[in-house]
mmCIF file of all heavy atoms in Angstrom:
data_model
loop_
_atom_site.group_PDB
_atom_site.id
_atom_site.type_symbol
_atom_site.label_atom_id
_atom_site.label_comp_id
_atom_site.label_asym_id
_atom_site.label_seq_id
_atom_site.Cartn_x
_atom_site.Cartn_y
_atom_site.Cartn_z
ATOM 1 N N ASP A 172 93.038 101.365 121.548
ATOM 2 C CA ASP A 172 94.326 102.058 121.498
ATOM 3 C C ASP A 172 94.707 102.281 120.039
ATOM 4 O O ASP A 172 95.174 101.362 119.365
ATOM 5 C CB ASP A 172 95.382 101.220 122.222
ATOM 6 C CG ASP A 172 96.732 101.890 122.317
ATOM 7 O OD1 ASP A 172 97.105 102.651 121.398
ATOM 8 O OD2 ASP A 172 97.435 101.635 123.310
ATOM 9 N N LEU A 173 94.506 103.500 119.562
ATOM 10 C CA LEU A 173 94.725 103.809 118.153
ATOM 11 C C LEU A 173 96.173 103.554 117.741
ATOM 12 O O LEU A 173 96.424 102.945 116.700
ATOM 13 C CB LEU A 173 94.336 105.259 117.858
ATOM 14 C CG LEU A 173 94.440 105.699 116.406
ATOM 15 C CD1 LEU A 173 93.439 104.953 115.531
ATOM 16 C CD2 LEU A 173 94.215 107.199 116.287
ATOM 17 N N ASP A 174 97.118 104.008 118.537
ATOM 18 C CA ASP A 174 98.526 103.856 118.160
ATOM 19 C C ASP A 174 98.914 102.388 118.046
ATOM 20 O O ASP A 174 99.598 101.988 117.093
ATOM 21 C CB ASP A 174 99.432 104.568 119.169
ATOM 22 C CG ASP A 174 99.191 106.073 119.188
ATOM 23 O OD1 ASP A 174 98.885 106.652 118.124
ATOM 24 O OD2 ASP A 174 99.308 106.666 120.280
ATOM 25 N N LYS A 175 98.477 101.587 118.977
ATOM 26 C CA LYS A 175 98.775 100.149 118.953
ATOM 27 C C LYS A 175 98.117 99.485 117.737
ATOM 28 O O LYS A 175 98.723 98.634 117.074
ATOM 29 C CB LYS A 175 98.271 99.504 120.250
ATOM 30 C CG LYS A 175 98.591 98.046 120.391
ATOM 31 C CD LYS A 175 98.097 97.538 121.743
ATOM 32 C CE LYS A 175 98.268 96.036 121.869
ATOM 33 N NZ LYS A 175 97.767 95.542 123.161
ATOM 34 N N THR A 176 96.900 99.878 117.420
ATOM 35 C CA THR A 176 96.189 99.292 116.285
ATOM 36 C C THR A 176 96.819 99.718 114.966
ATOM 37 O O THR A 176 96.978 98.901 114.046
ATOM 38 C CB THR A 176 94.691 99.665 116.346
ATOM 39 O OG1 THR A 176 94.177 99.307 117.638
ATOM 40 C CG2 THR A 176 93.899 98.950 115.271
ATOM 41 N N VAL A 177 97.215 100.992 114.854
ATOM 42 C CA VAL A 177 97.920 101.454 113.661
ATOM 43 C C VAL A 177 99.191 100.634 113.472
ATOM 44 O O VAL A 177 99.497 100.192 112.356
ATOM 45 C CB VAL A 177 98.255 102.967 113.752
ATOM 46 C CG1 VAL A 177 99.317 103.358 112.728
ATOM 47 C CG2 VAL A 177 96.999 103.800 113.553
ATOM 48 N N GLU A 178 99.940 100.424 114.537
ATOM 49 C CA GLU A 178 101.188 99.664 114.443
ATOM 50 C C GLU A 178 100.933 98.237 113.973
ATOM 51 O O GLU A 178 101.693 97.688 113.177
ATOM 52 C CB GLU A 178 101.934 99.667 115.780
ATOM 53 C CG GLU A 178 103.220 98.886 115.776
ATOM 54 C CD GLU A 178 104.216 99.297 114.689
ATOM 55 O OE1 GLU A 178 104.185 100.443 114.204
ATOM 56 O OE2 GLU A 178 105.038 98.436 114.306
ATOM 57 N N PHE A 179 99.845 97.609 114.433
ATOM 58 C CA PHE A 179 99.499 96.266 113.969
ATOM 59 C C PHE A 179 99.291 96.254 112.449
ATOM 60 O O PHE A 179 99.858 95.416 111.750
ATOM 61 C CB PHE A 179 98.235 95.743 114.664
ATOM 62 C CG PHE A 179 97.691 94.506 114.012
ATOM 63 C CD1 PHE A 179 98.235 93.265 114.284
ATOM 64 C CD2 PHE A 179 96.652 94.580 113.088
ATOM 65 C CE1 PHE A 179 97.766 92.108 113.660
ATOM 66 C CE2 PHE A 179 96.175 93.447 112.454
ATOM 67 C CZ PHE A 179 96.725 92.207 112.746
ATOM 68 N N TYR A 180 98.487 97.174 111.933
ATOM 69 C CA TYR A 180 98.207 97.198 110.492
ATOM 70 C C TYR A 180 99.445 97.559 109.680
ATOM 71 O O TYR A 180 99.630 97.069 108.576
ATOM 72 C CB TYR A 180 97.031 98.133 110.182
ATOM 73 C CG TYR A 180 95.710 97.476 110.495
ATOM 74 C CD1 TYR A 180 95.047 97.711 111.686
ATOM 75 C CD2 TYR A 180 95.137 96.580 109.592
ATOM 76 C CE1 TYR A 180 93.852 97.079 111.978
ATOM 77 C CE2 TYR A 180 93.942 95.950 109.868
ATOM 78 C CZ TYR A 180 93.307 96.198 111.072
ATOM 79 O OH TYR A 180 92.127 95.569 111.359
ATOM 80 N N ARG A 181 100.314 98.409 110.237
ATOM 81 C CA ARG A 181 101.557 98.747 109.553
ATOM 82 C C ARG A 181 102.497 97.538 109.513
ATOM 83 O O ARG A 181 102.983 97.139 108.464
ATOM 84 C CB ARG A 181 102.258 99.927 110.231
ATOM 85 C CG ARG A 181 103.457 100.445 109.431
ATOM 86 C CD ARG A 181 104.466 101.185 110.274
ATOM 87 N NE ARG A 181 105.037 100.370 111.339
ATOM 88 C CZ ARG A 181 105.908 99.368 111.172
ATOM 89 N NH1 ARG A 181 106.302 99.022 109.978
ATOM 90 N NH2 ARG A 181 106.363 98.699 112.206
ATOM 91 N N ALA A 182 102.720 96.914 110.671
ATOM 92 C CA ALA A 182 103.668 95.798 110.761
ATOM 93 C C ALA A 182 103.159 94.548 110.048
ATOM 94 O O ALA A 182 103.942 93.819 109.431
ATOM 95 C CB ALA A 182 103.958 95.486 112.228
ATOM 96 N N THR A 183 101.868 94.306 110.114
ATOM 97 C CA THR A 183 101.308 93.078 109.554
ATOM 98 C C THR A 183 101.048 93.173 108.062
ATOM 99 O O THR A 183 101.353 92.244 107.312
ATOM 100 C CB THR A 183 99.998 92.713 110.289
ATOM 101 O OG1 THR A 183 100.277 92.636 111.696
ATOM 102 C CG2 THR A 183 99.448 91.383 109.805
ATOM 103 N N TYR A 184 100.483 94.296 107.607
ATOM 104 C CA TYR A 184 100.056 94.420 106.211
ATOM 105 C C TYR A 184 100.813 95.480 105.423
ATOM 106 O O TYR A 184 100.626 95.596 104.211
ATOM 107 C CB TYR A 184 98.564 94.741 106.140
ATOM 108 C CG TYR A 184 97.697 93.762 106.886
ATOM 109 C CD1 TYR A 184 96.956 94.167 107.992
ATOM 110 C CD2 TYR A 184 97.617 92.427 106.503
ATOM 111 C CE1 TYR A 184 96.162 93.270 108.686
ATOM 112 C CE2 TYR A 184 96.827 91.525 107.194
ATOM 113 C CZ TYR A 184 96.098 91.947 108.289
ATOM 114 O OH TYR A 184 95.319 91.074 108.974
ATOM 115 N N GLY A 185 101.592 96.286 106.098
ATOM 116 C CA GLY A 185 102.327 97.345 105.416
ATOM 117 C C GLY A 185 101.501 98.588 105.147
ATOM 118 O O GLY A 185 101.940 99.472 104.406
ATOM 119 N N PHE A 186 100.316 98.705 105.736
ATOM 120 C CA PHE A 186 99.471 99.880 105.537
ATOM 121 C C PHE A 186 100.014 101.047 106.358
ATOM 122 O O PHE A 186 100.354 100.897 107.522
ATOM 123 C CB PHE A 186 98.024 99.614 105.942
ATOM 124 C CG PHE A 186 97.336 98.524 105.175
ATOM 125 C CD1 PHE A 186 96.334 97.777 105.761
ATOM 126 C CD2 PHE A 186 97.678 98.240 103.858
ATOM 127 C CE1 PHE A 186 95.682 96.778 105.060
ATOM 128 C CE2 PHE A 186 97.032 97.241 103.142
ATOM 129 C CZ PHE A 186 96.027 96.509 103.758
ATOM 130 N N LEU A 204 93.908 104.629 106.854
ATOM 131 C CA LEU A 204 94.967 103.880 106.203
ATOM 132 C C LEU A 204 94.524 103.610 104.773
ATOM 133 O O LEU A 204 93.530 102.915 104.547
ATOM 134 C CB LEU A 204 95.225 102.556 106.928
ATOM 135 C CG LEU A 204 95.408 102.630 108.454
ATOM 136 C CD1 LEU A 204 95.613 101.242 109.021
ATOM 137 C CD2 LEU A 204 96.547 103.544 108.812
ATOM 138 N N LEU A 217 90.968 101.852 105.424
ATOM 139 C CA LEU A 217 90.540 101.363 106.730
ATOM 140 C C LEU A 217 90.537 102.595 107.615
ATOM 141 O O LEU A 217 91.505 103.370 107.612
ATOM 142 C CB LEU A 217 91.515 100.335 107.311
ATOM 143 C CG LEU A 217 91.517 98.959 106.687
ATOM 144 C CD1 LEU A 217 92.535 98.074 107.402
ATOM 145 C CD2 LEU A 217 90.139 98.315 106.763
ATOM 146 N N LEU A 219 90.493 103.618 111.409
ATOM 147 C CA LEU A 219 90.634 103.145 112.778
ATOM 148 C C LEU A 219 90.122 104.237 113.709
ATOM 149 O O LEU A 219 90.496 105.407 113.567
ATOM 150 C CB LEU A 219 92.097 102.815 113.073
ATOM 151 C CG LEU A 219 92.753 101.845 112.090
ATOM 152 C CD1 LEU A 219 94.214 101.615 112.470
ATOM 153 C CD2 LEU A 219 91.998 100.532 112.021
#
Side-chain angles (χ1 to χ4, degrees):
D172 184 328
L173 183 66
D174 297 326
K175 184 177 174 181
T176 307
V177 164
E178 179 55 25
F179 168 81
Y180 281 98
R181 188 203 60 72
T183 305
Y184 306 115
F186 299 151
L204 311 178
L217 287 181
L219 306 179

